[in-house]
Short mmCIF file of all heavy atoms in Angstrom, two decimals:
data_model
loop_
_atom_site.label_atom_id
_atom_site.label_comp_id
_atom_site.label_asym_id
_atom_site.label_seq_id
_atom_site.Cartn_x
_atom_site.Cartn_y
_atom_site.Cartn_z
N THR B 31 15.21 -85.81 26.75
CA THR B 31 15.62 -87.22 27.08
C THR B 31 17.14 -87.22 26.90
O THR B 31 17.77 -88.14 27.27
CB THR B 31 15.04 -88.23 26.09
OG1 THR B 31 15.34 -87.75 24.63
CG2 THR B 31 13.49 -88.19 26.11
N LEU B 65 15.04 -81.46 19.10
CA LEU B 65 14.72 -82.57 18.26
C LEU B 65 13.85 -83.66 18.85
O LEU B 65 14.29 -84.15 19.94
CB LEU B 65 16.04 -83.22 17.67
CG LEU B 65 15.97 -84.32 16.56
CD1 LEU B 65 15.44 -83.54 15.21
CD2 LEU B 65 17.42 -84.89 16.34
N LYS B 66 12.72 -83.79 18.25
CA LYS B 66 11.83 -84.93 18.80
C LYS B 66 12.67 -86.17 18.91
O LYS B 66 13.30 -86.55 18.03
CB LYS B 66 10.55 -84.98 18.08
CG LYS B 66 9.51 -85.89 18.81
CD LYS B 66 8.16 -85.90 18.07
CE LYS B 66 7.07 -86.83 18.71
NZ LYS B 66 5.78 -86.94 17.97
N ASP B 67 12.39 -87.01 19.96
CA ASP B 67 13.22 -88.20 20.08
C ASP B 67 12.89 -89.39 19.02
O ASP B 67 13.58 -90.47 19.28
CB ASP B 67 12.99 -88.70 21.53
CG ASP B 67 14.01 -89.69 22.00
OD1 ASP B 67 15.11 -89.69 21.38
OD2 ASP B 67 13.73 -90.49 22.87
N ASN B 68 12.09 -88.99 18.15
CA ASN B 68 11.88 -90.17 17.07
C ASN B 68 12.61 -89.83 15.77
O ASN B 68 12.43 -90.48 14.86
CB ASN B 68 10.46 -90.39 16.85
CG ASN B 68 9.64 -89.20 16.47
OD1 ASN B 68 10.15 -88.02 16.47
ND2 ASN B 68 8.37 -89.31 16.17
N PHE B 69 13.54 -88.77 15.81
CA PHE B 69 14.32 -88.40 14.52
C PHE B 69 15.62 -89.09 14.71
O PHE B 69 16.39 -88.79 15.76
CB PHE B 69 14.50 -86.87 14.48
CG PHE B 69 13.28 -86.17 13.95
CD1 PHE B 69 12.20 -86.07 14.78
CD2 PHE B 69 13.28 -85.63 12.69
CE1 PHE B 69 11.09 -85.35 14.25
CE2 PHE B 69 12.20 -84.87 12.15
CZ PHE B 69 11.12 -84.86 13.00
N ASN B 75 21.10 -91.14 22.13
CA ASN B 75 20.33 -92.29 21.68
C ASN B 75 19.15 -91.90 21.18
O ASN B 75 18.44 -91.02 21.65
CB ASN B 75 20.19 -93.31 22.81
CG ASN B 75 21.51 -94.01 23.10
OD1 ASN B 75 22.66 -93.68 22.50
ND2 ASN B 75 21.47 -94.98 24.08
N THR B 76 18.69 -92.54 19.97
CA THR B 76 17.28 -92.23 19.41
C THR B 76 16.36 -93.28 19.99
O THR B 76 16.44 -94.53 19.60
CB THR B 76 17.37 -92.36 17.95
OG1 THR B 76 18.32 -91.40 17.31
CG2 THR B 76 16.03 -92.17 17.26
N THR B 77 15.55 -92.98 20.94
CA THR B 77 14.82 -93.96 21.66
C THR B 77 13.30 -93.95 21.47
O THR B 77 12.51 -94.94 21.90
CB THR B 77 15.02 -93.78 23.27
OG1 THR B 77 14.17 -92.65 23.67
CG2 THR B 77 16.48 -93.46 23.54
N ALA B 78 12.75 -92.90 20.75
CA ALA B 78 11.40 -92.75 20.72
C ALA B 78 10.71 -92.80 22.03
O ALA B 78 9.67 -93.23 22.23
CB ALA B 78 10.64 -93.74 19.68
N SER B 79 11.40 -92.42 22.98
CA SER B 79 11.03 -92.42 24.43
C SER B 79 10.54 -93.77 24.81
O SER B 79 9.46 -93.83 25.67
CB SER B 79 10.05 -91.27 24.80
OG SER B 79 10.66 -90.08 24.57
N SER B 80 11.13 -94.77 24.40
CA SER B 80 10.69 -96.15 24.76
C SER B 80 11.81 -96.91 25.38
O SER B 80 12.97 -96.64 25.17
CB SER B 80 10.36 -96.84 23.37
OG SER B 80 11.39 -97.20 22.59
N ARG B 108 17.24 -83.76 22.70
CA ARG B 108 16.26 -84.61 22.13
C ARG B 108 15.02 -84.49 22.98
O ARG B 108 15.28 -84.54 24.31
CB ARG B 108 16.71 -86.05 21.89
CG ARG B 108 18.02 -86.20 21.28
CD ARG B 108 18.38 -87.67 21.06
NE ARG B 108 17.38 -88.22 20.22
CZ ARG B 108 17.48 -88.34 18.88
NH1 ARG B 108 18.53 -87.97 18.30
NH2 ARG B 108 16.51 -88.92 18.28
N THR B 109 13.90 -84.44 22.55
CA THR B 109 12.79 -84.05 23.41
C THR B 109 11.82 -85.33 23.69
O THR B 109 11.65 -86.14 22.80
CB THR B 109 11.93 -82.99 22.75
OG1 THR B 109 11.40 -83.33 21.51
CG2 THR B 109 12.58 -81.68 22.75
N ASN B 110 11.28 -85.31 24.84
CA ASN B 110 10.44 -86.29 25.30
C ASN B 110 9.12 -86.30 24.46
O ASN B 110 8.58 -85.35 23.98
CB ASN B 110 10.04 -85.96 26.74
CG ASN B 110 9.57 -87.21 27.54
OD1 ASN B 110 9.84 -88.39 27.13
ND2 ASN B 110 8.83 -87.02 28.62
N MET B 111 8.61 -87.58 24.41
CA MET B 111 7.39 -87.74 23.61
C MET B 111 6.61 -89.11 24.24
O MET B 111 7.20 -89.73 24.96
CB MET B 111 7.73 -87.99 22.21
CG MET B 111 8.77 -89.28 22.07
SD MET B 111 9.40 -89.47 20.31
CE MET B 111 8.13 -90.42 19.63
N PHE B 125 10.15 -92.35 29.87
CA PHE B 125 10.95 -91.40 30.77
C PHE B 125 10.00 -90.51 31.66
O PHE B 125 10.48 -89.51 32.19
CB PHE B 125 11.95 -90.54 29.90
CG PHE B 125 12.77 -91.44 29.13
CD1 PHE B 125 12.71 -91.38 27.82
CD2 PHE B 125 13.77 -92.23 29.70
CE1 PHE B 125 13.47 -92.19 26.92
CE2 PHE B 125 14.62 -92.91 28.94
CZ PHE B 125 14.50 -92.98 27.54
N ILE B 191 11.28 -92.35 13.00
CA ILE B 191 10.75 -93.65 13.41
C ILE B 191 9.36 -93.66 13.10
O ILE B 191 8.48 -92.75 13.56
CB ILE B 191 11.00 -93.88 14.86
CG1 ILE B 191 12.51 -93.96 15.13
CG2 ILE B 191 10.27 -95.06 15.40
CD1 ILE B 191 13.00 -94.16 16.53
#
Side-chain angles (χ1 to χ4, degrees):
Chain B
T31 57
L65 190 65
K66 189 177 178 182
D67 197 19
N68 55 354
F69 284 71
N75 288 3
T76 302
T77 76
S79 298
S80 72
R108 310 183 63 90
T109 59
N110 197 22
M111 56 188 277
F125 306 112
I191 296 178

